[in-house]
């Protein structure tokens, strides 16, 4: 297990992590009891992603040249652990009548800061951290971390035949492991893709749409239609990438859905939580394609970021549009993706 993977697990478990010169703990998971040991004088400032700071209206205190830079909130007496948990959780923005006065400054170790925020994001937690002072006097163990490098090295772990309901083609399921963080992904090989550029779909995990039939998005229908098109085309490859919620993780996606219940759109909800609209990266997808021997593909997508992401990794891509009929619940979501995320017609 890499240092980054251990650190991600430690953050999820509410334990402290050291990243370069910083010792941090996730606001979302550290208990009050442990925090009082780690920060006995209640002085630890709070590190927020730039997007979350902007959502809290703290942008005016920041450098106009770096509007997305992370921000440190100075500790004040009224900032108790529970008020900080409420401050960093966008779900509570509508209940809170006051979020201030807050004093901010720019964090000093900018590489360690962005590495720390990258780790907590990769842990699927809110992008908010306690920055603890040097704890060398304490005997508490903390996990050492390096920056979480986006997974980009694919190893094929296992392969087997998989009969799939409604698909008139032989399907092979291939389990892939990413070296950087140990995450597991899947390539479904439909039929016998070979010869000319095969039909490919990069599908980012969507538990709600893929498994429960959620009507809020178009993921489930896109997944099934892609497999059908591949079978009709004589073959294809579907990569099932574990990038739930465009890379923010399941709990954060459900938080985003809660904000959408309040009227925010899919992009605004991500920003309000403190994330970019899309936190995905397609380097691992390119590595999986290369390891399966495909350097030229036809990609079922409406998302230009997928085309650019693969092309940047040396895969030659021709786009095949992949629109499914809208329903009353996802029509607005699809319109926002066209208007704000550059999705193609
Ligand atoms: N954060 C967030 N993620 C969402 C939301 N709705 C769906 N998703 C996630 O978005 C991803 C869907 O990705 P894709 O099916 O690759 O769709 P896409 O990026 O629009 O690209 P194409 O379908 O290829 O055009 C999945 O990981 C879903 O979990 C939402 O409202 N908020
Ligand atoms: Zn979905």
């Amino acid at each position: 297990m890499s240092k980054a993977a251990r650190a991600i697990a430690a953050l999820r478990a509410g334990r402290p992590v050291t990243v370069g010169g910083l010792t941090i703990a996730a606001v979302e998971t550290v208990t009050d009891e442990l925090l009082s040991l780690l920060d006995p004088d209640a002085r630890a400032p709070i590190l927020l992603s730039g997007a979350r700071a902007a959502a809290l209206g703290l942008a005016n205190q920041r450098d106009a040249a770096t509007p997305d830079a992370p921000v440190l909130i100075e500790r004040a007496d009224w900032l108790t652990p529970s008020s900080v948990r409420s401050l960093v959780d966008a779900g509570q923005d509508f209940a809170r009548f006051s979020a201030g006065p807050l004093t901010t400054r720019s964090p000093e170790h900018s590489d360690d800061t962005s590495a720390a925020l990258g780790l907590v994001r990769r842990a699927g937690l809110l992008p908010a951290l306690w920055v603890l002072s040097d704890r060398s006097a304490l005997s508490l163990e903390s996990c050492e971390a390096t920056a979480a490098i986006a997974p980009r090295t694919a190893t094929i772990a296992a392969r087997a035949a998989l009969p799939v309901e409604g698909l008139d083609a032989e399907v092979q399921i291939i389990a892939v492991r990413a070296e950087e963080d140990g995450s597991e992904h899947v390539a479904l090989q439909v039929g016998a893709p070979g010869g000319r550029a095969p039909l490919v779909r990069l599908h980012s995990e969507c538990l709600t749409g893929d498994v429960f039939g959620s009507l809020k998005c178009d993921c489930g229908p896109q997944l099934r239609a892609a497999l059908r098109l591949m079978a009709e085309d004589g073959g294809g490859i579907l990569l099932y990438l574990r990038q739930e919620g465009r890379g923010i993780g399941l709990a954060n996606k459900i938080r985003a859905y809660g904000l959408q219940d309040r009227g925010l759109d899919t992009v605004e909800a991500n920003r309000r939580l403190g994330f970019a609209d899309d936190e995905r990266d397609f380097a691992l997808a390119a590595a999986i394609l290369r390891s399966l021997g495909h350097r030229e593909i036809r990609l079922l997508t409406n998302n230009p970021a997928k085309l650019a992401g693969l092309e940047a990794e040396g895969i030659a891509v021709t786009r095949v549009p992949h629109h499914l009929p809208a329903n009353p619940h996802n029509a607005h979501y699809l319109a926002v993706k066209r208007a704000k995320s550059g999705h193609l017609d």
Side-chain angles (χ1 to χ4, degrees), residues 206 208-210 217-220 253 257 333:
C206 177
T208 45
D210 301 340
C217 59
D218 55 345
C219 302
K253 184 177 87 166
Y257 278 0
Y333 168 74

